Structures are given as C-alpha cells and as structure tokens.
Amino acid sequence: MHNVLERLKSGRTWDFPGGVHPVDFKTISNTTVIKRPSLPECLYLTVKQHIGLEGQIIVAPGDKVLKGQALTKNSHPLSVPVHAPTSGEVVAIAPHVSAHPSGIAEATLQIKPDGEDKWIDLTPLTNYQSLPKPELIEAICSAGIAGMGGAGFPTHIKVGVQKEVEYLIINGVECEPYITSDDRLMREHAWQIRQGIDVLTHILNPKHIIIAIEDNKPKAIEAMQVACQENRKYLVCSVPTKYPAGGEKQLIQMLLNKEVPSGGLPIDIGVLTHNVGTCYAIADAVFSGKPLIERVITLTGKALSKPGNVWALLGTPMSHLLDFAEYDVKKQKRGQRLIMGGPMMGFSLRSDHVPVVKVSNCLLVPTDSEIPLTEAEQACIRCGACADACPAGLLPQQLYWHSKAKELDKAQDYNLFDCIECGACAYVCPSQIPLVQYYRQAKATIREDEKEQIKAAKAKERFEARQARLEREKEAREEKHRLAAEARKKRAEATPVKDTADQIDDSVSESDPKAKVAAALARAKAKKLQSAPSNTESTEQPEKAQKSAAVQAAIARAKAKKEQQAQQTAEAKEETPSQKSAAVRAAIARAKAKKEAAQQNLEKPTAESNEPQDTSSQELEVSEMTAEEKKKARVAAAVAKATAKKEAERQEKERSDNSVAGEQAHNEPAQEVEASEMSAEEKKKARVAAAVAKAKAKKEAEQQEKESTDNSVSDEQSQSAPTQEVEVSEMTAEEKKKARVAAAVAKAKAKKQAERQAAQQNDIDNPEDKELTE
C-alpha cells in the first residue's frame, strides 16, 4: 500500500495492455469558460436517462411545475427521478426521439418554459456530517444523480455498498479526443468538486482518496491540488495520456496495478471510482439542495463557429445548442452529421431534436475532412492489430466472427461482456470494420434473450404455482366430500329405524275392529304421554325405555287381534245351517225394508235429513245381538249399502265433518279414537275412500239384483262377500281404514231403516217365513 502511494507521489504509474494515441483536438473547446445558453422553447425530458429502470410519472399534461420539481418517483432501487429544469407547463407526455444509436422513441415529458425560472423550496444539508449515512444516500437518490462519466449507473447504488472501500478514485482523466467538459469543470469549480469528495469520504470512509487527471490537463491538475491541499488524505496525481486511460478498469490498473476480475466489479478488490462531474452534482444536492437538472456539455468540431462548453439544461434539444454554437451548414456538404460523445465511443444522431440527457457530455459536429466518413467494410485480413490495441486483453477478431454469425454462446466464451466498447480495435482496423457495432448488437441480443428467459422462468414458476394451487384445492374438495360422506354415514347409523310398535301395527289386520281399537288406544295413550309436561325424571328417561313401552303396547294389540280371530273361527265352526238360513232371511227382509224406506225418503228429503237419530235404540239393539247376529248384520249392511247408494250420494254433500264424526261416535268406540287422530286432510281422504267403496258396492248390488232370484239369494250373497274381500285386499291400509268407517256409517243407517220397517209390520207374525215364501 505504501509502495503504491509513494510511487504515485513520485509521478510514476503502471500501464495497461493495448491502447492507442489519437490526436486529442481538445484545444478547440477548452480555451473558453463555460457558458449558459438561453432557455429553449420546449424541453424534452426522457423518463429513463440512466442504466436501470424508469421512474413512475407523477405529473399530467396541463400541470404547472416549478424548477427542481420531481416529475417522476422511484419505482425500483435501480431508478432515479427526473426533475423539471425550469418552471413552466407540462404540455405533453408522449414518445420522442431519444439519445440512442437507433433513435428509438421513448416516453418523454414535454415542458414549455414560462420564463420565470422559479425554484421550489430547497432544503440543503449543510450539517451532513451529523446526519446518518442512509439519509445522505437518500438525498443523493432523490436528487436524481447518476454517473456523469458516461455509464449512467445510479450513484446511490454505488455509494450504498456494504463492503469495505480501501481506495476511492476520483476520475478526471477524460481521455477521449475532443471532450473537455470535465477539464473546464475542474478548472472553474474545483472547490465544489472537493466538497462532493468530502461527502463521499464521509459516506464510504475509504482509507485512501486518489484524484487522477490526465497529464494533458495541467491547469485542471493545479486547480484540484489547490482545492485539496487542506486534506492530506487527498492525493492528486497525473496519469500518462493514453486512450482509454479513463476507463474504470484501465485506470485502476494504471494507479494500483490491480486487475478487476472478469465479470467482477471494482468493489470486489476494494476500489470505488466516481467521476468529477458526479462529485459536483453530489455537492450541489447536499449543500444547495438542488437536484440534477443541468450538466456541462462540450460543443466542438470545426463545423461550429463558436465551440466551447455550456451549462445545458436536461431536455434541451440539440438544435438549440447548435444555434447557440453557430453551426455552419456549409461545412458539412454531405449533409448534417452529429455525433453524441467523442469520435471513439460516440454515436451518430438521427435527428437534431434529440435532447440532452444525464450522460451527454459532448456534441461533436465535424467537417467532412475532419472525420472522414467510414468507407465500405472490407474483409478481415487477420492482421491482429485489433488484438494488440485491445486494452481488455480480448480477441476482437474472434468476437467479430461469432457476433456476425450470431453464434452468441461462442462469443460469450470469448468474454464478450468484458469489452468496454472503447473503439480502439475499430480505430486501428485497416479493413474499416465497425467492430464495436457488431459487439453492441450481440450484447443487445443476448440481453434481450436473457430477459425472455427470465420472463419464461417467471411464467413457468407462476404456472407451477397455479398447478400446485389447483391440486391443493382438488385435494381439499375431495377431503371435504369424504368428511361429508362420513358424516352422512354416521347420521344414518345414528338415526333409529322405524319403531317396532309401528311395524307391529302394520302387521295387524285392518279388518279386526277390536285390534284396531286397541292399537288406536295405545297410540292415543302414547301421544298423551308425549304431549304431557314431563318432570325431571321423565326428561332424563332414556330413549330405550320409551321404545320398550311402544313395543309392549304393539304386542298387546297383536295378542288381542289374535284372540279375536280365534273367537271368530270358533263361532263360524259352531254355526248351524238353520242359523245361516235365518240370518239370510233376516238380511233379505232388512234389505227390502231399506229399499221401501229409501223410496219414502225420496218424497221427504228435507224431513228425513233433519230427523234426529235414535241412538239409544241402536245401542240397545246392538247390545242384545249375539256375535253371530252381529256378523250377519254386517253382511246385510253391505247389501243394503249398495241399494242406498243414490240416497247416500245426495246426503253426502249435505253432511258436515261434525255430523259424520257424531255418527261414528255413536256406532263404534274405535271410530271416536281414530277420528280424533285424523287431521282435516285425512278426513277428506276418508270421505273419498268411502265414496269409492259405496260406488263399488252399488255396482255390485245392481248386478246382483238383475241376476238374483228368490231361490238364489243366499248364493248371490255368498258371492258378494268374496268379491268385496278381493277389492278390499287390493286397497291400501289407509283406504281399508276409510272404507271401514264408511261401512260403519252405512250400517247405522240400515239399522235405523230396519227399525222403522219393523214398526209398520206389527200385524205380521212371521215376516221372515212370508218373505221366504214370496
């Protein structure tokens, strides 16, 4: 380290390979002070003026802006804002030709100056040494400062490094011919440049600070030595004039004899470099609070009558600067030829409307003889001169072949991106091959391919993430369905099957009135127990006990039904032929009496319908009848029901639900229990079933009347019973129940008519024998 400093203090440096010594032509523009041209009619501020990403526009057409006002804001760490160079109005935000070799149109803010040049409120940081470093870095970023030496890398990124900085090199070499902007800046503003170095030293805390200036700028070296003499850490040294000594890697190699590794950065070896113009902008931002809105640009070339250096506002069109330098069109007989930058690394402009940007340091306007137009490209003769001139130690010939053949992978194998595009190879090429242009195109193609690969990788990542999300959702749905199925299965297993008592009730024959009555009483009792308010013990009674009670009730009903069937079977076996004959005769007599009574009722329908029922007589008769007589009476009632169908249909419309329920209550206790359990809908269904049963009985009776004779009455009656049984068997349990109710009502009416007929035949001693004879 000490040997390096001692060597530099003694005026000795190291050298880098290659390089050329072109004529510098610097005296054309460095003899006059920096001037300030007038305001242009319109400023064209390109949104992206640096390496990185463009900021987000925060103004709109029609907005009034002040000088120094931010027009964009940072949207990414690699972006810096753009500020209004003067006060005025934003007239448009549209694409405009840019400072690019292709002249591609980029997003541009167009500001029309109002001539007032009114500043915003500035906030200088004079006590910067007491401020934390992140706040200073943020101030540099907010000022929109990017590398002023030509690279345009955001300055706040370079000063925000976390690695230790051993050497801070301030680059004032300015090695390219014609350009003198840094030379004039160091001569006139050396003190402010040193202030910028102080700020960088405070932020980076380097061990050594070296200010390098090319030895063809003696006045600039003297000015910087005077400005930095108060600080012994600042070493101002001159370097030999050799192109491209101003290159970052080449300058480090000359001063420190260190080489930046391929694909690496100077910070990797503990070195950081900044341009003198960048130091001036940092001092302006910290001590004055001004953002970067202007820069020194060299106007040179023999086609200009007044060449020199000017303070050009960012966004100033080149045509305005040409007018200020008195561009002589006659000196360019082959047409206007403008070069942004120097003759080695600059590029031709496609229009004089290209605006000044942050990295613009020179506008070269040569005559036809000063820089002759490039002749037609010829074939490479493999002389090797390009390899000897390359300061990066590359093989330009191989890079040229692979770049021209679009063999980009092979070009990268020869370290294409280590090329600094200095143009030394093209300068010495005898075949006039624009080697740098091939390298730039190859680099641009590779960068675009890398961007596409990054996009494809991100798209693949999003696709895979989407597929994973869909798979997770599918698994979640399947799991949800599985849990739902298990829950349904558990509910099905927990739900009790049909009550055993109800199953036994279904098995009980609907034709047994006693069993039905017992079942109805059991249901009514169970329902009463359920509806009654339960005490603490009953609420805690387990469900199994309730089911047991229902089962016992059903078993009792089944036993009663079985006993009833056994009794009926025994009575049927004990029945004699004479009893059957007597029963038949009695039934026929009651049927004829019913028919005569029906004819009388036709004459007096109103009186008959309103006549009260002799319930007491019916109950007395039923109580005096034996089981056998009851059975025969039911048979007779079925026959009578058919003959009384017409009258029943007329009376059915006039009956109400209450009168039917009253008749059922007088004739059978079971009817009261069943009717109490029936809803309005069930009652309606019962009436419909009764009407159906009556219609079927009427049809059967009419057939019997046509075919019957006095001798075959008993046979016809015996046939009617099986028919009814078949029809009944085809009916459902509910229809059977309703049919029995209707039959009971018809029986009551038949009994009433039979009693009236008996009263009219008091004079006849043996009515049954007489009817049988007839």
Side-chain angles (χ1 to χ4, degrees):
M1 180 186 302
H2 295 288
N3 293 334
V4 170
L5 297 178
E6 291 297 330
R7 185 182 180 93
L8 293 176
K9 288 179 181 180
S10 64
R12 293 180 298 165
T13 60
W14 285 270
D15 196 6
F16 60 87
V20 294
H21 296 83
V23 181
D24 56 21
F25 295 105
K26 292 183 180 292
T27 56
I28 297 176
S29 58
N30 68 352
T31 57
T32 58
V33 298
I34 303 174
K35 299 178 181 179
R36 191 177 295 274
S38 62
L39 284 173
E41 294 182 358
C42 187
L43 295 170
Y44 300 89
L45 290 162
T46 306
V47 176
K48 182 177 178 295
Q49 302 185 19
H50 58 278
I51 293 177
L53 302 176
E54 63 183 24
Q56 181 179 354
I57 300 175
I58 57 176
V59 294
D63 291 352
K64 301 290 184 179
V65 295
L66 298 177
K67 187 176 183 178
Q69 179 179 335
L71 305 178
T72 64
K73 66 178 181 180
N74 296 350
S75 59
H76 191 272
L78 283 177
S79 65
V80 293
V82 177
H83 300 79
T86 186
S87 59
E89 179 184 358
V90 179
V91 295
I93 301 176
H96 185 77
V97 61
S98 63
H100 189 272
S102 65
I104 186 172
E106 296 183 4
T108 303
L109 294 159
Q110 299 180 21
I111 298 178
K112 184 177 181 180
D114 57 10
E116 297 180 3
D117 207 31
K118 185 177 179 180
W119 276 95
I120 60 170
D121 295 333
L122 303 178
T123 56
L125 304 175
T126 54
N127 58 339
Y128 72 93
Q129 293 180 342
S130 62
L131 298 176
K133 295 179 180 180
E135 187 172 344
L136 286 174
I137 296 174
E138 179 62 27
I140 293 173
C141 177
S142 300
I145 301 175
M148 308 284 284
F153 192 80
T155 303
H156 69 277
I157 299 296
K158 293 183 70 173
V159 300
V161 294
Q162 301 299 323
K163 296 181 179 180
E164 182 181 359
V165 178
E166 186 176 3
Y167 291 96
L168 173 61
I169 298 177
I170 306 302
N171 189 350
V173 175
E174 198 175 45
C175 60
E176 188 160 0
Y178 286 96
I179 304 175
T180 61
S181 58
D182 288 347
D183 183 13
R184 291 307 311 182
L185 187 66
M186 287 186 288
R187 292 188 194 185
E188 300 180 27
H189 301 280
W191 178 256
Q192 193 166 352
I193 293 173
R194 204 218 74 173
Q195 285 182 317
I197 298 173
D198 293 340
V199 175
L200 290 175
T201 302
H202 173 71
I203 296 174
L204 299 172
N205 193 25
K207 295 180 180 180
H208 305 282
I209 299 94
I210 302 175
I211 303 169
I213 305 172
E214 205 169 34
D215 58 7
N216 63 351
K217 304 175 182 62
K219 293 183 179 180
I221 295 174
E222 182 182 358
M224 291 304 300
Q225 287 177 341
V226 172
C228 299
Q229 63 184 355
E230 297 179 358
N231 195 324
R232 294 183 179 180
K233 291 182 66 176
Y234 296 170
L235 176 60
V236 180
C237 64
S238 64
V239 298
T241 301
K242 182 182 180 181
Y243 182 84
E248 186 178 50
K249 296 180 180 180
Q250 286 68 40
L251 182 59
I252 293 173
Q253 194 168 358
M254 289 183 67
L255 295 175
L256 306 176
N257 197 26
K258 291 184 177 181
E259 187 173 353
V260 178
S262 176
L265 297 173
I267 192 61
D268 296 334
I269 58 175
V271 182
L272 204 62
T273 63
H274 283 283
N275 182 263
V276 291
T278 305
C279 295
Y280 178 89
I282 291 174
D284 224 10
V286 174
F287 295 98
S288 301
K290 296 179 180 180
L292 179 58
I293 58 174
E294 61 182 1
R295 68 155 299 148
V296 178
I297 181 171
T298 300
L299 304 178
T300 186
K302 295 181 179 180
L304 299 177
S305 300
K306 294 182 177 180
N309 290 277
V310 297
W311 283 105
L313 296 177
L314 301 182
T316 302
M318 295 299 171
S319 59
H320 184 74
L321 298 179
L322 292 175
D323 293 340
F324 178 78
E326 297 182 3
Y327 166 56
D328 189 355
V329 181
K330 296 180 181 180
K331 294 182 179 181
Q332 289 186 335
K333 296 180 180 180
R334 297 183 180 181
Q336 189 181 63
R337 184 183 178 195
L338 306 177
I339 299 175
M340 179 170 281
M344 304 296 289
M345 298 184 67
F347 57 88
S348 298
L349 298 180
R350 294 177 177 263
S351 171
D352 59 0
H353 293 293
V354 173
V356 175
V357 294
K358 295 177 181 180
V359 296
S360 301
N361 58 357
C362 179
L363 176 60
L364 176 59
V365 190
T367 61
D368 296 339
S369 60
E370 186 177 3
I371 301 179
L373 293 174
T374 304
E375 297 180 4
E377 177 183 340
Q378 300 178 15
C380 174
I381 62 175
R382 295 174 175 83
C383 64
C386 57
D388 296 336
C390 180
L394 303 177
L395 297 175
Q397 185 178 354
Q398 279 72 17
L399 293 176
Y400 159 68
W401 289 337
H402 296 311
S403 298
K404 186 176 182 179
K406 303 298 181 181
E407 297 173 349
L408 303 181
D409 293 339
K410 293 182 179 180
Q412 292 187 77
D413 293 339
Y414 282 94
N415 302 316
L416 173 65
F417 282 92
D418 286 343
C419 173
I420 62 174
E421 302 176 15
C422 64
C425 55
Y427 178 77
V428 299
C429 180
S431 298
Q432 302 295 318
I433 300 174
L435 298 173
V436 177
Q437 303 303 324
Y438 284 105
Y439 304 156
R440 286 175 178 171
Q441 292 177 6
K443 288 180 180 180
T445 304
I446 293 173
R447 292 190 183 101
E448 290 297 325
D449 292 343
E450 289 178 350
K451 289 181 181 179
E452 292 298 326
Q453 291 176 3
I454 292 173
K455 291 180 181 179
K458 290 182 178 179
K460 181 180 179 181
E461 183 179 354
R462 291 195 302 269
F463 174 77
E464 291 177 350
R466 179 178 180 273
Q467 291 298 108
R469 176 177 56 81
L470 295 177
E471 187 65 24
R472 290 194 302 270
E473 292 177 354
K474 180 180 178 181
E475 293 177 356
R477 287 195 301 270
E478 292 177 351
E479 180 66 14
K480 182 179 179 181
H481 294 164
R482 185 185 65 80
L483 294 176
E486 291 181 355
R488 288 193 298 270
K489 183 177 180 181
K490 290 180 180 179
R491 287 196 298 270
E493 293 175 353
T495 303
V497 297
K498 186 177 180 181
D499 197 298
T500 308
D502 296 337
Q503 295 178 356
I504 296 175
D505 288 345
D506 294 342
S507 64
V508 176
S509 176
E510 299 292 342
S511 61
D512 188 0
K514 290 186 177 182
K516 194 64 180 178
V517 170
L521 292 174
R523 286 195 300 272
K525 185 177 181 180
K527 183 177 181 181
K528 184 176 181 180
L529 291 173
Q530 292 177 0
S531 61
S534 59
N535 52 22
T536 306
E537 295 179 358
S538 63
T539 56
E540 297 178 354
Q541 183 180 4
E543 185 179 358
K544 291 184 178 180
Q546 296 178 0
K547 292 183 177 180
S548 178
V551 170
Q552 292 176 1
I555 292 173
R557 291 194 296 272
K559 288 181 178 180
K561 188 259 179 188
K562 187 176 181 180
E563 293 176 357
Q564 178 67 20
Q565 291 178 348
Q567 184 180 358
Q568 292 177 358
T569 303
E571 291 177 354
K573 291 180 179 180
E574 294 176 357
E575 185 178 6
T576 61
S578 60
Q579 290 175 342
K580 291 183 180 180
S581 178
V584 171
R585 290 195 297 271
I588 293 173
R590 286 193 294 272
K592 290 184 176 182
K594 175 66 177 180
K595 184 175 182 182
E596 294 176 358
Q599 293 176 356
Q600 294 177 2
N601 290 336
L602 291 175
E603 298 174 356
K604 299 177 180 180
T606 305
E608 182 64 25
S609 62
N610 296 329
E611 184 178 354
Q613 299 178 358
D614 190 0
T615 307
S616 59
S617 301
Q618 294 177 16
E619 292 177 351
L620 180 60
E621 181 178 325
V622 172
S623 63
E624 292 176 354
M625 292 174 64
T626 63
E628 182 65 22
E629 291 176 347
K630 291 179 180 179
K631 180 177 180 181
K632 306 307 178 181
R634 286 195 296 272
V635 176
V639 177
K641 181 172 62 176
T643 59
K645 175 61 181 178
K646 186 175 181 180
E647 178 64 15
E649 289 178 353
R650 185 186 65 79
Q651 294 180 356
E652 184 66 25
K653 296 181 181 179
E654 299 176 357
R655 292 193 192 94
S656 63
D657 295 340
N658 295 333
S659 64
V660 173
E663 291 175 355
Q664 293 174 354
H666 289 300
N667 287 284
E668 193 68 39
Q671 297 176 15
E672 296 178 359
V673 177
E674 294 173 355
S676 64
E677 296 177 352
M678 294 170 60
S679 62
E681 184 67 22
E682 292 174 342
K683 292 177 180 180
K684 181 178 180 181
K685 291 181 178 179
R687 291 195 297 273
V688 173
V692 173
K694 291 176 185 178
K696 292 180 179 180
K698 179 180 179 182
K699 185 176 180 181
E700 183 67 24
E702 291 176 353
Q703 293 177 357
Q704 290 176 0
E705 288 178 359
K706 292 179 181 179
E707 299 175 358
S708 64
T709 59
D710 295 341
N711 297 327
S712 61
V713 171
S714 60
D715 295 335
E716 291 175 353
Q717 291 176 350
S718 62
Q719 293 177 359
S720 64
T723 303
Q724 294 175 6
E725 291 176 1
V726 174
E727 292 176 352
V728 171
S729 63
E730 295 176 353
M731 298 170 64
T732 63
E734 185 66 20
E735 293 173 345
K736 291 176 181 179
K737 179 179 177 182
K738 309 310 176 185
R740 288 196 300 273
V741 174
V745 175
K747 271 197 302 184
K749 292 182 178 181
K751 290 178 182 179
K752 181 178 178 181
Q753 293 173 358
E755 290 174 356
R756 292 177 181 174
Q757 185 68 26
Q760 295 175 1
Q761 295 177 354
N762 290 331
D763 297 336
I764 302 173
D765 294 333
N766 296 318
E768 294 181 358
D769 295 339
K770 184 177 180 179
E771 291 174 358
L772 183 59
T773 303
E774 293 175 355

